[in-house]
Amino acid sequence: MGMGRPRAFDADAALDRAMDVFWRHGYEGATIAQLTEAMSINPPSLYAAFGSKEGLLKAALDRYTEKRDAWMDRVVSAATAHEVAERFLMEHADAQTDPANPPGCLLVQGGLACGTGSANVPFELAARRTRTEDQLRERFVRAKAEHDLGESVDPATLARYLSAVTSGMCVMASSGANRETLREIAAVSLKAFEEQTKP
Amino acid sequence: MGMGRPRAFDADAALDRAMDVFWRHGYEGATIAQLTEAMSINPPSLYAAFGSKEGLLKAALDRYTEKRDAWMDRVVSAATAHEVAERFLMEHADAQTDPANPPGCLLVQGGLACGTGSANVPFELAARRTRTEDQLRERFVRAKAEHDLGESVDPATLARYLSAVTSGMCVMASSGANRETLREIAAVSLKAFEEQTKP
DNA sequence: AGATATCTGTAGTGTTCGCTACAAATGTGG
DNA sequence: CCACATTTGTAGCGAACACTACAGATATCT
């Protein structure tokens, strides 16, 4: 028995193209026609490989999360909690205004509210955002154990604050805010972080 | 010549219902069927009164902005810039978790990214968000003139920062963050505001 | 080479979308 | 009461949606 005709397209490259479409138009705003054209494949190939539009999104999110995890690993590898926060904020400002990608972040632009047929999409995106927040919190827990952060500091609050600020920066980026503007916001937020961590 | 059959529904009440649907499902996720059912009218009545789905959104946004302006007037009427920031942040935390409304804010949940056919919807929402930011900035300009804020303070940066934080709170609210959580974020942000305004 | 298994492209499927034609209903002005 | 203007409910329009049946193409395995 044979193994069948091999796939003629690179799945990861296709996912990168799909990611861009979801990012730019949101989950519901992205049509199969747009996706297949961007991926340079036909609908049957898409459905054979990813099952459904939602399956394609999840595959694209997996790939997105993969890259993001690698980035977060570098961020939390900074020596101090303060430097973690600084890198996290500043590199977010840069990433969200990187001309290589649509503005903002896929996990936010992908869709905060969806129709009844796609109700679990916002859920899925929220779960991935929470993951980043968790990574930050764990890093701050460690910083506390290492006496890099004081006893009175709440790692969860710090992580949530940074997560909220970067989400807000996504909203600003989607409205056309430029890199300078986002960096200013990041700088002010970093001041808050400093104030929060040394009383 | 007569004046025609009078409208049998209250347009403002209908807009409130439509607002809720757009808020909960986003512009693209909201269907005419859902809207008409929520508004307790039939499609022809909707189109006679508001022209199109996008026209309905704009009418709902006008009504939303009306209420929001009244609220912002109260916020900026606070005696000091610090108190303005505090009210703005804290009341945002409360409003975004008010069980009377869907989580977050219509101007964010309405849609950051849309399909090609609705490309100006995110634009429209962004314009309304900018309005709030403008109101804050103007208030801080005044505070600077009154020597309530120091010479080195940039009103635009402060306004953008507060706007970004509340947008980020919207994202958190749509992920299920509760009032306590948002208030914590608001509290940390207020610390940043304080730090930014007295160097 | 032959049988088998999977992919690819064409050309659709049924459903739902935003939107509207039409006639009956209901008000005003003469 | 009658002509007129506008709204309302029913029913359905064309277009676009996510998705797929099918046949031909291309690989592997014996």
Side-chain angles (χ1 to χ4, degrees), chain B residues 178-198:
Chain B
N178 61 20
R179 185 164 291 186
E180 288 297 309
T181 301
L182 295 194
R183 280 183 176 166
E184 275 180 14
I185 293 169
V188 177
S189 303
L190 191 59
K191 288 260 177 80
F193 184 88
E194 293 166 2
E195 192 64 10
Q196 195 72 9
T197 53
K198 43 175 180 180

Side-chain angles (χ1 to χ4, degrees), chain A residues 12-168:
Chain A
D12 281 340
L15 282 178
D16 283 337
R17 307 297 208 93
M19 208 185 290
D20 186 274
V21 177
F22 282 133
W23 198 331
R24 185 163 275 115
H25 298 293
Y27 174 74
E28 292 193 306
T31 69
I32 297 294
Q34 284 176 321
L35 289 163
T36 52
E37 187 183 346
M39 300 165 84
S40 300
I41 61 175
N42 296 101
S45 298
L46 191 160
Y47 283 90
F50 307 107
S52 64
K53 186 183 177 186
E54 197 169 326
L56 175 63
L57 175 72
K58 285 185 183 173
L61 285 178
D62 284 342
R63 187 159 166 78
Y64 184 82
T65 304
E66 211 174 300
K67 296 178 182 177
R68 196 182 172 102
D69 277 358
W71 172 70
M72 276 301 286
D73 284 347
R74 287 200 306 277
V75 168
V76 301
S77 74
T80 65
H82 180 275
E83 199 177 343
V84 169
E86 182 173 12
R87 277 199 205 175
F88 182 76
L89 289 167
M90 287 300 175
E91 293 189 22
H92 246 298
D94 291 353
Q96 289 177 15
T97 55
D98 184 346
N101 297 323
C105 156
L106 174 60
L107 303 187
V108 171
Q109 326 295 323
L112 300 177
C114 277
T116 46
S118 325
N120 43 339
V121 167
F123 216 75
E124 186 77 22
L125 294 168
R128 315 258 178 171
R129 290 194 301 268
T130 301
R131 178 171 167 73
T132 299
E133 186 185 312
D134 290 344
Q135 288 165 316
L136 276 180
R137 192 189 60 244
E138 283 167 21
R139 179 61 182 84
F140 293 147
V141 166
R142 197 189 97 193
K144 206 172 163 182
E146 291 169 349
H147 302 291
D148 172 29
L149 288 176
E151 275 300 318
S152 64
V153 172
D154 181 17
T157 299
L158 284 183
R160 270 199 292 258
Y161 172 71
L162 293 181
S163 185
V165 167
T166 50
S167 291

Side-chain angles (χ1 to χ4, degrees), chain B residues 24 37 68 90-91 94 102 130 133 151:
Chain B
R24 185 164 275 116
E37 186 182 346
R68 195 180 173 103
M90 288 300 175
E91 293 188 23
D94 291 352
T130 301
E133 187 184 312
E151 274 302 318

